Amino acid sequence: MKIYVCKDYERMSKVAANYLAAQINIKPDSILGLATGSTPVGMYEELVKKCESREISFKNIKTFNLDEYVNLPKENINSYYTFMHSNLFDKVDINQNNINMPNGNTKDFDSYSKEYEEAIASNGGLDLQVLGIGNNAHIGFNEPNEYFSKETGVVDLTKSTIDANSRFFDSIEEVPNQAISMGIGTIFKSEKIILLASGKTKAEAINNTVNGPIDPHVPASILQLHKNVLLVVDEEAASLLDKNSYEIV
Ligand code: PGA
């Protein structure tokens, strides 16, 4: 696991965007796994600027998003559909047919989840997966559990995640208590993974991910076994790491 520590959120966003831009330019038809949440917003802003200045193009890029709330209409301001369109898809030259997002309003989640897995596989698998991390070290919406989830499916959100995400909703009761998420197995199959984290609320999760035992109660800890993971974190998120374990960029 390679770890880059950036002085602040802005630098983290630029470093992450440069990494994605390199992937897009090296392989213009890359299959990207994308994440939502506050953390990647700055990275998406940088990617939009790079697209406007023609440094990169999404014309032949295909995307698969990590997750979506269950039973939240896609037009809802808090849906990940809305998030991705307003932060990235509506601002770059991506072909709308190349966008894949889990449908949180499907009737048959079992067969839909299998289709989502098959769609990723039939496109040749993910080249690069972008991840945030929960305060509880979840990746996607794969919450701490007795085992590492394998494939896309419906997950129950933990109280910690519902509390954390309630900042976007008018009241905590409005936060959906389920989501559809790529599994940890799905994420792990990506050729490359970049995980972003910012702020001191993420410091413990980052330390447990890097230094703790591989344990499904710390879902991100499985990334220790992946061959190509880059962590891009700001100083606060890195505050519990040994200074010899990372590069300052
Ligand atoms: P955040 O969420 O970027 O809003 O902190 C990350 C996550 O829950 O995975």
Side-chain angles (χ1 to χ4, degrees), residues 189-249:
K189 276 189 256 172
S190 179
E191 277 293 310
K192 301 180 194 118
I193 294 175
I194 179 171
L195 184 148
L196 314 185
S198 165
K200 47 180 181 304
T201 58
K202 301 290 170 71
E204 198 178 333
I206 288 295
N207 187 37
N208 291 340
T209 295
V210 174
N211 294 315
I214 296 169
D215 180 337
H217 295 99
V218 181
S221 64
I222 201 167
L223 299 178
Q224 290 177 31
L225 293 177
H226 194 279
K227 63 182 189 309
N228 197 337
V229 177
L230 175 64
L231 261 54
V232 184
V233 302
D234 68 9
E235 281 177 2
E236 288 187 350
S239 56
L240 298 175
L241 297 180
D242 177 344
K243 292 200 166 43
N244 296 316
S245 67
Y246 55 73
E247 285 172 53
I248 299 171
V249 300

Side-chain angles (χ1 to χ4, degrees), residues 9 35-41 66-67 80 83 131-141 143 161 164-165 167-168 196-198 201-202:
Y9 179 81
T36 52
S38 305
T39 313
V41 169
L66 271 174
D67 46 20
Y80 290 164
F83 175 99
L131 296 175
I133 186 168
N135 298 340
N136 61 5
H138 73 198
I139 45 177
F141 266 134
E143 302 284 34
T161 298
N165 290 9
R167 69 192 192 276
F168 301 112
L196 314 185
S198 165
T201 58
K202 301 290 170 71

Side-chain angles (χ1 to χ4, degrees), residues 4-223:
Y4 287 167
V5 176
C6 307
K7 71 173 187 322
D8 55 20
Y9 179 81
E10 199 186 335
R11 177 74 186 146
M12 179 202 76
S13 302
K14 289 199 162 125
V15 169
N18 286 341
Y19 188 82
L20 261 81
Q23 173 68 36
I24 290 169
N25 281 331
I26 287 165
K27 190 174 180 213
D29 59 351
S30 290
I31 314 293
L32 301 181
L34 297 179
T36 52
S38 305
T39 313
V41 169
M43 178 190 78
Y44 290 137
E45 276 169 19
E46 294 297 325
L47 288 174
V48 169
K49 283 190 222 154
K50 287 178 187 293
C51 194
E52 282 167 357
S53 66
R54 302 194 182 210
E55 184 185 330
I56 57 170
S57 169
F58 284 81
K59 224 166 91 196
N60 296 310
I61 295 291
K62 283 192 184 155
T63 63
F64 284 87
N65 261 80
L66 271 174
D67 46 20
E68 179 59 281
Y69 289 116
V70 163
N71 286 337
L72 193 68
K74 70 178 190 183
E75 302 74 27
N76 187 291
I77 190 161
N78 286 311
S79 77
Y80 290 164
Y81 179 93
T82 301
F83 175 99
M84 286 307 303
H85 282 79
S86 55
N87 283 287
L88 185 71
F89 297 149
D90 293 350
K91 297 179 172 168
V92 295
D93 60 348
I94 194 163
N95 178 339
Q96 299 292 314
N97 297 326
N98 287 344
I99 296 169
N100 299 277
M101 298 200 64
N103 179 356
N105 292 285
T106 187
K107 290 212 170 63
D108 181 348
F109 279 99
D110 282 349
S111 59
Y112 178 79
S113 299
K114 285 198 181 72
E115 279 167 34
Y116 200 70
E117 284 289 320
E118 280 160 19
I120 296 172
S122 67
N123 276 286
L126 301 168
D127 290 302
L128 173 60
Q129 175 66 56
V130 177
L131 296 175
I133 186 168
N135 298 340
N136 61 5
H138 73 198
I139 45 177
F141 266 134
N142 297 287
E143 302 284 34
N145 210 336
E146 295 301 312
Y147 54 88
F148 290 108
S149 69
K150 290 202 178 97
E151 298 196 325
T152 302
V154 172
V155 290
D156 295 328
L157 304 185
T158 58
K159 186 176 176 312
S160 147
T161 298
I162 291 172
D163 286 349
N165 290 9
S166 66
R167 69 192 192 276
F168 301 112
F169 291 80
D170 288 339
S171 71
I172 197 159
E173 288 74 33
E174 284 178 34
V175 186
N177 50 25
Q178 286 189 313
I180 176 167
S181 177
M182 278 188 202
I184 289 181
T186 327
I187 294 167
F188 200 86
K189 276 189 256 172
S190 179
E191 277 293 310
K192 301 180 194 118
I193 294 175
I194 179 171
L195 184 148
L196 314 185
S198 165
K200 47 180 181 304
T201 58
K202 301 290 170 71
E204 198 178 333
I206 288 295
N207 187 37
N208 291 340
T209 295
V210 174
N211 294 315
I214 296 169
D215 180 337
H217 295 99
V218 181
S221 64
I222 201 167
L223 299 178

